[in-house]
Amino acid sequence: MATKLEALYQTLQTALGDKAVSLMNTLGELTLVVKVADWPAVAVVLRDHPELAFKSCVDACGMDYSAYKDGAWDGARFAVVYHLLSLSNNSRLRVRVFCEDDDLPTIPTMLDVWPGLNWYEREAFDLYGIVFIGHPDLRRILTDYGFVGHPFRKDFPLSGHVEMRYDPSQGRVIYQPVTIEPREITPRIIREENYGG
């Protein structure tokens, strides 16, 4: 007798066919990888297929694989990962969609399929620079209006690009290039038993 996860695995393979680049069952969780061109059609199938019924997308986040596996990664740099939930079937699914262009990562918006993604898509745009094609209000939400760059990209400097300070001679706040030296902080590892209590 097939387990619930194995049954979902078979249903996904049957429903998606060759549109599933890969479907992995690891640690009791299913992860589906889809090409960006197939993603809008696949998303509708995942939502509307009666045996899948992933009516809710509970999370979406950007990913930067530039230093993944200590640089041994040779795939696309940016991806968006969606976590889907089927309340009627009590099942979950992770979907990963890689952006094709590393210099300008783009992916279609999924607001028509899951309207609750509005905030998550704006967050991925702000922090990773992933552009969601068709999003009606794609603008920064977590960084300042004049912020330069995307702070969750792995090549973003820890100190940022600009700093802000009050200039008493000009009588106003000014922005200027960062003046502090970049540094690397190595956390102290404590191995003693009962440390701190």
Side-chain angles (χ1 to χ4, degrees):
M1 180 176 174
T3 66
K4 184 177 176 181
L5 204 60
E6 291 168 345
L8 177 60
Y9 186 96
Q10 292 299 324
T11 303
L12 285 166
Q13 280 192 324
T14 304
L16 301 178
D18 61 350
K19 291 187 177 180
V21 174
S22 70
L23 181 60
M24 297 170 285
N25 181 355
T26 307
L27 302 173
E29 298 176 348
L30 289 180
T31 301
L32 171 69
V33 177
V34 179
K35 290 181 183 174
V36 69
D38 294 334
W39 177 224
V42 168
V44 171
V45 170
L46 293 174
R47 182 193 63 187
D48 296 342
H49 191 287
E51 294 179 38
L52 299 174
F54 289 105
K55 303 285 185 191
S56 179
C57 183
V58 295
D59 187 25
C61 61
M63 301 290 292
D64 182 356
Y65 287 91
S66 63
Y68 186 62
K69 294 187 176 179
D70 293 329
W73 178 259
D74 63 349
R77 178 177 174 184
F78 294 103
V80 179
V81 176
Y82 301 86
H83 293 101
L84 307 181
L85 172 65
S86 172
L87 291 171
S88 59
N89 297 326
N90 191 21
S91 57
R92 295 177 182 268
L93 175 68
R94 178 183 304 114
V95 181
R96 184 168 37 213
V97 184
F98 286 95
C99 301
E100 293 178 346
D101 188 357
D102 289 348
D103 295 328
L104 180 61
T106 61
I107 188 169
T109 182
M110 289 295 116
L111 289 181
D112 292 340
V113 182
W114 297 290
L117 285 176
N118 189 1
W119 178 270
Y120 299 113
E121 290 185 353
R122 290 174 65 184
E123 186 179 58
F125 165 72
D126 191 2
L127 301 178
Y128 289 94
I130 298 171
V131 177
F132 290 84
I133 305 291
H135 193 288
D137 189 18
L138 200 61
R139 58 186 158 115
R140 292 187 180 273
I141 55 174
L142 298 174
T143 57
D144 194 12
Y145 295 116
F147 194 86
V148 178
H150 304 283
F152 277 14
R153 288 188 174 189
K154 291 183 179 174
D155 56 358
F156 191 82
L158 294 177
S159 59
H161 293 290
V162 295
E163 65 184 23
M164 178 183 69
R165 67 176 177 85
Y166 179 76
D167 186 358
S169 64
Q170 297 182 31
R172 63 182 181 91
V173 173
I174 61 169
Y175 292 89
Q176 64 187 35
V178 172
T179 57
I180 61 173
E181 292 289 324
R183 62 183 178 181
E184 184 173 325
I185 299 172
T186 304
R188 181 177 169 216
I189 298 172
I190 301 191
R191 299 186 190 273
E192 300 118 20
E193 285 187 31
N194 300 325
Y195 178 81

